[in-house]
Amino acid sequence: MTDFLTFRTVDEMRTQVATWRADGLTIGLVPTMGGLHSGHQKLVTRAAKKCDRVIATIFVNPTQFGAGEDLDSYPRTEKADCEIIADAGGNAAFVPNVSEMYPDGFATTVKVSGLTDMLCGATRPGHFDGVTQVVSKLLNQAGADMAFFGEKDWQQLAVIRRMARDLDIPTKIMGVPTVRDDFGLALSSRNGYLDAAQIEVARQFNVILRKTAYDIASGGLATDECAKAGQAILDAGFERIDYVECRDAHYLELIDRVEDQECRIFAAAYLGRARLIDNHSVS
Ligand code: PAF
């Protein structure tokens, strides 16, 4: 941790990035909201493999939380987060406060249409507008060569890729495969809201989705198989389903019969205080 840097302001980060650039070094950015786990660690490790210097950002972005969501209780564990970043090969953390990111009079929105209307966008209105607002700022602030995002939030990754392309943001957007526990449960900061019995239930989620992906790839109609999966998720002990859908992996259009296109099954469901999401390739 001795050489690990913490930037609180955009100016501090930019000054250091300029020094690294002057030395001919490449920069990787790992945007996070903190509460880091092995999934984030893998993002930093991947970034450190691809880039000479890695900055992880820690900012619980208020504009991507809806009313009644977990903004106040979202884990804030900066010291432990910085240790994880450093151990994974990261060089610095950018930890701005809300007024650094959204100064008085802030009035700009960034919206990707279409891709944000379905899946998580349908039940979390405005969520992706908050994500694109903060991620566009972070990409502009850091001026990194590459930025790394987890594939667990596949829709978020698709939205960010589209935004970066549409706005000619030169940072290359990199997807990193989901990290899972030994039972296949996708790691998430929100898994911390679950007790031991709920974790057992949560572990059924990926098992059901993988079976559903297999059944669709074997010729089952996606609408039928997704309906069966929804029932199986409820039977496993989840309280409510948000969606279980099969969609094109890039354009996120609904698919009923899978032919040559690259598809994924996407699901979100509620268990206790947590809303879990996951996705799997249908192939
Ligand atoms: O995936 C997240 O943790 C957040 O949505 C992100 C990309 C850091 C933006 O706040």
Side-chain angles (χ1 to χ4, degrees):
M1 283 291 283
T2 39
D3 298 332
F4 191 81
L5 302 167
T6 303
F7 314 124
R8 303 276 165 197
T9 66
V10 176
D11 277 355
E12 284 166 11
M13 175 164 64
R14 282 195 168 144
T15 304
Q16 183 60 57
V17 167
T19 307
W20 284 334
R21 286 232 176 274
D23 291 340
L25 302 173
T26 56
I27 319 291
L29 188 74
V30 180
T32 85
M33 294 205 300
L36 301 195
H37 49 66
S38 318
H40 298 105
Q41 200 170 359
K42 182 166 167 194
L43 297 180
V44 177
T45 309
R46 180 64 61 88
K49 274 215 177 89
K50 296 266 181 196
C51 302
D52 300 315
R53 294 290 179 269
V54 176
I55 304 171
T57 73
I58 302 174
F59 179 63
V60 184
N61 173 37
T63 69
Q64 69 187 77
F65 287 78
E69 291 189 345
D70 54 347
L71 171 62
D72 293 335
S73 58
Y74 202 86
R76 285 161 172 87
T77 51
E78 182 185 322
K79 191 166 175 290
D81 292 345
C82 288
E83 277 162 19
I84 290 175
I85 297 163
D87 287 350
N91 306 92
F94 174 48
V95 195
N97 62 22
V98 174
S99 60
E100 178 71 9
M101 292 301 276
Y102 300 115
D104 271 355
F106 189 92
T108 302
T109 51
V110 181
K111 182 176 180 60
V112 174
S113 308
L115 288 180
T116 58
D117 296 342
M118 79 285 278
L119 299 173
C120 290
T123 33
R124 300 185 71 192
H127 166 68
F128 287 115
D129 300 346
V131 170
T132 45
Q133 183 180 53
V134 77
V135 172
S136 58
K137 282 175 67 69
L138 293 168
L139 295 176
N140 281 328
Q141 290 163 346
D145 298 276
M146 297 182 190
F148 297 78
F149 298 88
E151 290 182 352
K152 182 174 83 67
D153 297 295
W154 188 277
Q155 183 180 15
Q156 169 174 280
L157 180 58
V159 168
I160 290 170
R161 280 193 206 284
R162 184 69 63 88
M163 175 195 75
R165 190 207 67 177
D166 289 356
L167 297 182
D168 304 306
I169 296 176
T171 305
K172 193 165 176 206
I173 306 300
M174 311 288 288
V176 179
T178 305
V179 178
R180 299 176 180 278
D181 75 4
D182 292 345
F183 302 87
L185 174 64
L187 298 193
S188 161
S189 308
R190 290 184 169 111
N191 292 353
Y193 299 154
L194 302 174
D195 63 25
Q198 288 168 329
I199 289 279
E200 291 309 313
V201 173
R203 285 179 171 150
Q204 292 307 306
F205 198 39
N206 81 92
V207 176
I208 295 165
L209 295 185
R210 270 190 287 123
K211 176 182 182 309
T212 306
Y214 176 83
D215 290 343
I216 296 171
S218 313
L221 274 186
T223 10
D224 297 345
E225 300 302 336
C226 289
K228 281 190 226 160
Q231 190 54 54
I233 291 166
L234 290 174
D235 292 346
F238 279 77
E239 282 120 36
R240 195 154 57 88
I241 305 291
D242 192 343
Y243 57 77
V244 184
E245 290 177 356
C246 179
R247 289 185 176 261
D248 175 271
H250 304 290
Y251 300 100
L252 304 185
E253 287 150 354
L254 266 176
I255 304 285
D256 203 15
R257 186 174 292 287
V258 174
E259 281 158 7
D260 309 335
Q261 66 281 62
E262 203 189 321
C263 297
R264 295 189 83 82
I265 178 154
F266 296 88
Y270 295 86
L271 179 61
R273 281 182 59 216
R275 177 181 179 279
L276 300 187
I277 62 171
D278 203 350
N279 67 86
H280 278 276
S281 156
V282 174
S283 57

